[in-house]
Amino acid sequence: MNRTIILALAVAALTACGQGTTKSKMENQTMREIEPTEIRENAIGLFDQEWALVTAGVPGDVNTMTISWGSLGELWNRPVVTVYVSSSRYTHAFMEKNGHFTVVFFPPECRDALQYLGSHSGRDGDKIQASGLTLEWLESGLPSFAEADMVIEARKIYGAPFDESGFGDVPEQFYARGRMGVHSVYVGEIEHVWVRGRKGE
Ligand SMILES: Cc1cc2nc3c(=O)[nH]c(=O)nc-3n(C[C@H](O)[C@H](O)[C@H](O)COP(=O)(O)O)c2cc1C
């Protein structure tokens, strides 16, 4: 099967989020800015159950991937979002070379698109287009998606690989066979939070 056919099949399979009711519903609701302290969702549930996209880059040179490891909190007297990106991901290079990143959450209808973006690499082609999601650029110049229901804009204030000498027994299980590469920790100072739909109520 050639790449065009694969792309067409992927888009067709994922229209429930990208081109169906979710998108039109979301397009009718403008994003509302809230303070980081007004985020009502449970942070563990947001990452573990809903998943998110972490995205970094500029027009023409951007990549995104699905994450379920992440945290929201406070560090150095700033509101922060922290993500953990393996050195094996194509996104890792984008996190390294860009000073900002976004963490974007979606309604449940977009689950298939997130699964797709978490199981395909931007190294192999335009996976954003294939996912059916619509990349858009915020006023700040940062990347987001038209189907999102919560967008966090973050300025990278720390980025470094985990120091393996600090691992206890739990992380060792993840890195024992070395398949994933060690994750880098990226702490972003939250500069803006935008919500709509369920998360904006
Ligand atoms: C539900 C889910 C959660 C994931 N969470 C993470 C994560 O927190 N950190 C990470 O490095 N990879 C995570 N991944 C794997 C990446 O999303 C995946 O390897 C992706 O294809 C990388 O894309 P890239 O090569 O374009 O960067 C997750 C994948 C899925 C499906």
Side-chain angles (χ1 to χ4, degrees), residues 51 63-69 84-86 89-91 115 117-123 127 183:
W51 309 343
N63 202 57
T64 192
M65 63 172 238
T66 305
I67 52 167
S68 61
W69 294 359
Y84 307 90
V85 177
S86 164
R89 318 295 187 219
Y90 188 52
T91 305
Q115 181 66 57
L117 291 164
S119 53
H120 293 76
S121 179
R123 278 189 203 99
K127 69 171 181 174
H183 285 71

Side-chain angles (χ1 to χ4, degrees), residues 42-189:
N42 177 281
I44 298 171
L46 271 178
F47 285 100
D48 177 45
Q49 285 147 35
E50 292 199 24
W51 309 343
L53 291 181
V54 61
T55 310
V58 294
D61 189 32
V62 59
N63 202 57
T64 192
M65 63 172 238
T66 305
I67 52 167
S68 61
W69 294 359
S71 349
L72 290 169
E74 195 199 40
L75 182 65
W76 303 320
N77 296 343
R78 293 145 200 248
V80 293
V81 58
T82 305
V83 297
Y84 307 90
V85 177
S86 164
S87 56
S88 65
R89 318 295 187 219
Y90 188 52
T91 305
H92 189 269
F94 291 79
M95 296 299 286
E96 286 295 311
K97 69 184 173 190
N98 288 282
H100 284 77
F101 61 91
T102 57
V103 178
V104 178
F105 297 87
F106 295 85
E109 293 82 359
C110 296
R111 185 83 168 182
D112 287 351
L114 297 191
Q115 181 66 57
Y116 186 87
L117 291 164
S119 53
H120 293 76
S121 179
R123 278 189 203 99
D124 304 324
D126 188 347
K127 69 171 181 174
I128 295 178
Q129 195 193 343
S131 77
L133 293 184
T134 314
L135 179 68
E136 63 179 21
W137 296 92
L138 302 170
E139 216 173 285
S140 60
L142 297 187
S144 184
F145 294 89
E147 297 82 3
D149 61 8
M150 182 157 85
V151 176
I152 297 178
E153 300 182 39
R155 183 171 70 86
K156 190 172 68 178
I157 55 174
Y158 178 84
F162 273 120
D163 177 352
E164 293 177 61
S165 69
F167 282 169
D169 57 346
V170 172
E172 264 176 18
Q173 297 164 14
F174 286 93
Y175 300 107
R177 274 166 279 131
R179 278 184 305 125
M180 279 204 279
V182 168
H183 285 71
S184 289
V185 179
Y186 295 102
V187 181
E189 176 179 3

Side-chain angles (χ1 to χ4, degrees), residues 6-19 109 112-113 116 130-132:
I6 293 170
L7 184 70
L9 288 175
V11 170
L14 299 171
T15 49
C17 168
Q19 290 160 9
E109 293 82 359
D112 287 351
Y116 186 87
S131 77

Side-chain angles (χ1 to χ4, degrees), residues 1-60:
M1 222 184 305
N2 72 28
R3 233 172 92 176
T4 317
I5 297 173
I6 293 170
L7 184 70
L9 288 175
V11 170
L14 299 171
T15 49
C17 168
Q19 290 160 9
T21 51
T22 303
K23 185 175 172 190
S24 45
K25 246 193 283 169
M26 283 300 160
E27 277 176 351
N28 290 336
Q29 296 177 28
T30 47
M31 282 280 191
R32 177 168 71 84
E33 183 161 16
I34 60 170
E35 294 298 321
T37 49
E38 293 179 298
I39 297 174
R40 284 186 296 106
E41 270 70 24
N42 177 281
I44 298 171
L46 271 178
F47 285 100
D48 177 45
Q49 285 147 35
E50 292 199 24
W51 309 343
L53 291 181
V54 61
T55 310
V58 294

